[in-house]
Structures are given as structure tokens and as C-alpha cells.
Amino acid sequence: MNNEWLQSMYSARQQWVPVYMRDTFFGEISVTDKSGGNLFFDGHLTAMTTIQMLIKQYEKAVASWHDKELKADYDTTNTTPVLKTPSPMEKQAGNLYTRRIFMKFQEELVETLANPATKVDDSGTITTYRVAKFGQDHKARTVSFNSFEMKASCSCQMFEYSGIICRHILAVFRAKNVLTLPSQYVLKRWTRNAKTGAAVDERASDLPNNTQESLNVRYNNLRQEAIKYVEEGAKSIHIYNVAMDALREASSKLAIAKNQSSGPTHGSTLSNGASQELHAAEGTQTQTYQSADMKEKKIQEMTAELENINHRSEVYRSNLLAVLKDIEEQKLKLSVKVQNARLSLKE
């Protein structure tokens, strides 16, 4: 090429062409649409906009995006997501993600029905799958799944780029009977509690305890926690010894819990008088716990209601400011017209 600038841009294409940066997290952010227009200033700028007007339009654009964010927060807090599948993973995502991110995740999850995962290689803990849509084998993606760490990587690199798990990994999770999202695939920035800093509960703890589905969920959760424990415990001899002691203690507690759940009740070994005293004490303690639980529940309800009121107040405040701003602009325009009319009358 004779054009040196064009040649230099081509040589540096890996630094600015999006396809070369799929392994870098961008949060799926784009300031321009597919036609080349600027999404931030969409509806606020034209080819005739002056520098003076640009400043005013910039303020309007910021206010508009702020209003959209408030509305999105309100929708996330006060509306219930519509589930399209009986998957506990979808229910979990609906409780965790903001509404917009959930809809993206839901789209990927639904697409797993048309994107089966086929095992192509199995080398111990790493299993390789080929995922393709029916009739589109030429667009197949490769997914590597580590069953020990519960981690997967896809050749499409959607999660690395946007932080939203892709349909190909979800298809592998479905094939491996992984019913809930592993914690490493739930980015805090996409959750409804991202601004408040509240802890994210990624476990589907509200599932019925007597179903096989819930058994698999509990198994997956325990396995994930155990893997973290093993990784930390193997870092040094001291930590290893501490971890082993903790495991032995946990094993003893599990044995006691199993005996208590399967053995005779404690009250059956006591005399009638002692049994009555025990039941009375337990009744008083139960009432105390129930009272505390009711207070805690009431506090949570009042806190949630207060947050809803704050959201609504912020929306109303934003709308009021926008109205006042429009009134000021109209007042200014009217003042200019009156002044021009006076000048014309004097002439």
C-alpha cells in the first residue's frame, strides 16, 4: 500500500479492531450503533448543531441517560421477570441480575435448546465439547469444561468480553447437569445489588427440599465450596494442617447431625416432669425466635418499601427538574420575542 497511515492502522489492527479484543472485558459497551451514529447523543445533535448548543445538548443527554437509568432501576426493583423455562438457573438469574442483563442471559439460555453440546474429547478433569446450532455446523464453537473447578471457556469469548455467559457454555452446563450458575460467572456489576454493595446470594435456596432437582443444586453448591476449600488448603503446610483439622471437626459435626436426625427424640428419654420443663423452655425459646424473626422480617419489608419510595422520589424529582428546565427555556424564548417586538415597535 502507498498510504502510510492506512498501512500503520492495518499493522496496529489488533489494538483497535473489536474482533481482536474479545478476550478483554468491555462490558459489551458501545457508544455507536451499527450505522455509525452516536448512541449517547442520539436525538440531541444534528449536523447544524453549534458549539454553544452542544454544551446544552450534552447536559440534556446526561439527564436523559440518568432518567433511563432510574427507570431501569425502578423496573428491576418493582417488576417480576417472566421466566420462559423451568430451569432453576433461570430463576436464580432472575433474582440476581438487573432486568436488562437478565433478558440477555435468558436469550442465551433459551438458545441452548437449539444448540446441543457434543463431547469430542475427555482427558481427565478437562472435557471438550462441540456446540453448534442445528444445521449450522460451520458455526460450531468449542467449549472446554473443567469438572473439578466447575469452570468453562468458550471459543466465542462472550463471557470474557461482556461478562454474560454464552449459550455454548450454558449448553455444556445443561449436559453436565449443572443447575445453578457457579459464582465466578455472576459479575457483581450486572446484579441488582451492584450499587448497594449487598452480598449476592447465587444459590437457589428457595427450591423444595424434597426434590431430586434440589438435591442436585445442593450437591453443586457444596462441591463449589469444597473446591475453594481445597485450593486454599493446599497452598502451604500450615494452612493444610488447619484445613485438615477443620475437616475432621466438620466430619464430627456431620455425624452428630445425622444421629440427631435419625435417632430418637431427646424428650423421650426424660421423665415426665423434666420433659414438661424442657417443652416449656423450648416453647418460650421458640416464641422468642419467632418474635425476633417477625421483627427482622418487618424491618426488611420496611427497608424494601423505603428503597422503593426513594426510587420513586428520585424519578419524580428528575421529571420535575426537567419540567422546570423546559419552563425556564420557554420563559427565555418568550422574553426574547417580547424584546424583539418592542424593538420593532420603536423602529
Side-chain angles (χ1 to χ4, degrees), residues 232-248:
E232 291 295 324
K235 289 183 177 179
S236 69
I237 296 296
H238 174 67
I239 299 177
Y240 169 79
N241 292 331
V242 172
M244 289 300 296
D245 291 340
L247 284 174
R248 294 189 186 99

Side-chain angles (χ1 to χ4, degrees), residues 56 60 324-334:
K56 293 183 179 180
K60 286 186 177 181
L324 292 175
K325 192 172 183 180
D326 289 339
I327 291 175
E328 287 295 327
E329 291 180 355
Q330 294 298 327
K331 182 179 177 181
L332 180 61
K333 291 179 181 179
L334 184 60

Side-chain angles (χ1 to χ4, degrees), residues 94-346:
N95 293 330
L96 289 176
Y97 287 136
T98 63
R99 190 67 67 247
R100 179 171 176 266
I101 297 300
F102 170 72
M103 292 178 66
K104 287 180 174 291
F105 171 84
Q106 187 181 58
E107 179 182 352
E108 297 298 316
L109 183 65
V110 171
E111 282 295 323
T112 61
L113 301 175
N115 288 266
T118 305
K119 185 189 297 185
V120 295
D121 184 54
D122 191 351
S123 56
T125 58
I126 306 296
T127 308
T128 304
Y129 289 85
R130 183 174 177 274
V131 183
K133 196 170 185 177
F134 290 110
Q136 297 183 5
D137 292 342
H138 61 289
K139 295 183 179 180
R141 297 292 185 177
T142 302
V143 178
S144 298
F145 178 71
N146 188 320
S147 58
F148 180 74
E149 298 180 353
M150 292 294 290
K151 292 182 180 179
S153 60
C154 180
S155 58
C156 76
Q157 296 182 309
M158 176 176 171
F159 180 76
E160 290 81 358
Y161 184 76
S162 66
I164 302 172
I165 196 166
C166 66
R167 64 193 64 180
H168 315 109
I169 293 179
L170 289 174
V172 172
F173 282 172
R174 187 181 179 196
K176 298 293 291 185
N177 202 30
V178 178
L179 299 178
T180 59
L181 274 175
S183 58
Q184 62 265 28
Y185 292 106
V186 181
L187 298 189
K188 181 182 176 183
R189 67 180 298 127
W190 297 145
T191 64
R192 58 174 62 205
N193 296 324
K195 294 181 179 179
T196 62
V200 176
D201 181 14
E202 69 272 7
R203 293 166 178 78
S205 57
D206 54 344
L207 291 174
N209 292 328
N210 58 347
T211 63
Q212 180 64 29
E213 189 176 75
S214 179
L215 175 63
N216 292 332
V217 170
R218 295 196 298 272
Y219 176 82
N220 288 332
N221 290 337
L222 286 172
R223 181 169 61 176
Q224 292 174 34
E225 292 300 321
I227 289 172
K228 297 177 186 177
Y229 198 74
V230 170
E231 291 175 349
E232 291 295 324
K235 289 183 177 179
S236 69
I237 296 296
H238 174 67
I239 299 177
Y240 169 79
N241 292 331
V242 172
M244 289 300 296
D245 291 340
L247 284 174
R248 294 189 186 99
E249 183 180 353
S251 178
S252 300
K253 290 182 178 180
L254 281 176
I256 294 173
K258 288 175 65 176
N259 292 334
Q260 288 179 347
S261 62
S262 60
T265 59
H266 184 61
S268 62
T269 62
L270 301 175
S271 62
N272 291 336
S275 178
Q276 291 176 359
E277 292 179 0
L278 178 62
H279 287 313
E282 289 178 347
T284 303
Q285 190 176 21
T286 301
Q287 291 178 357
T288 303
Y289 288 154
Q290 289 178 348
S291 177
D293 291 341
M294 290 178 64
K295 289 181 180 179
E296 181 66 23
K297 184 177 180 181
K298 188 66 176 178
I299 291 173
Q300 292 177 356
E301 291 176 353
M302 294 175 67
T303 302
E305 182 63 23
L306 181 60
E307 290 179 355
N308 292 338
I309 293 174
N310 288 337
H311 276 295
R312 290 196 294 268
S313 299
E314 189 66 24
V315 173
Y316 296 151
R317 176 179 173 276
S318 178
N319 292 337
L320 180 59
L321 289 175
V323 171
L324 292 175
K325 192 172 183 180
D326 289 339
I327 291 175
E328 287 295 327
E329 291 180 355
Q330 294 298 327
K331 182 179 177 181
L332 180 61
K333 291 179 181 179
L334 184 60
S335 177
V336 171
K337 289 182 179 179
V338 171
Q339 188 66 23
N340 291 336
R342 287 178 178 175
L343 292 175
S344 62
L345 288 175
K346 289 181 180 180

Side-chain angles (χ1 to χ4, degrees), residues 16-86:
W16 62 273
V17 178
V19 72
Y20 291 104
M21 297 183 287
R22 294 290 296 180
D23 59 344
T24 304
F25 179 74
F26 281 92
E28 213 176 39
I29 294 175
S30 176
V31 295
T32 59
D33 58 17
K34 294 181 180 180
S35 62
N38 193 297
L39 295 178
F40 184 81
F41 288 106
D42 186 29
H44 296 281
L45 297 182
T46 66
M48 304 301 294
T49 302
T50 63
I51 296 296
Q52 291 82 358
M53 287 300 298
L54 174 63
I55 297 175
K56 293 183 179 180
Q57 294 301 96
Y58 171 78
E59 294 176 352
K60 286 186 177 181
V62 171
S64 175
W65 276 71
H66 182 60
D67 291 343
K68 291 178 181 178
E69 184 178 355
L70 289 175
K71 184 180 183 303
D73 289 343
Y74 182 84
D75 291 341
T76 297
T77 305
N78 297 279
T79 61
T80 303
V82 179
L83 305 182
K84 296 183 179 180
T85 71

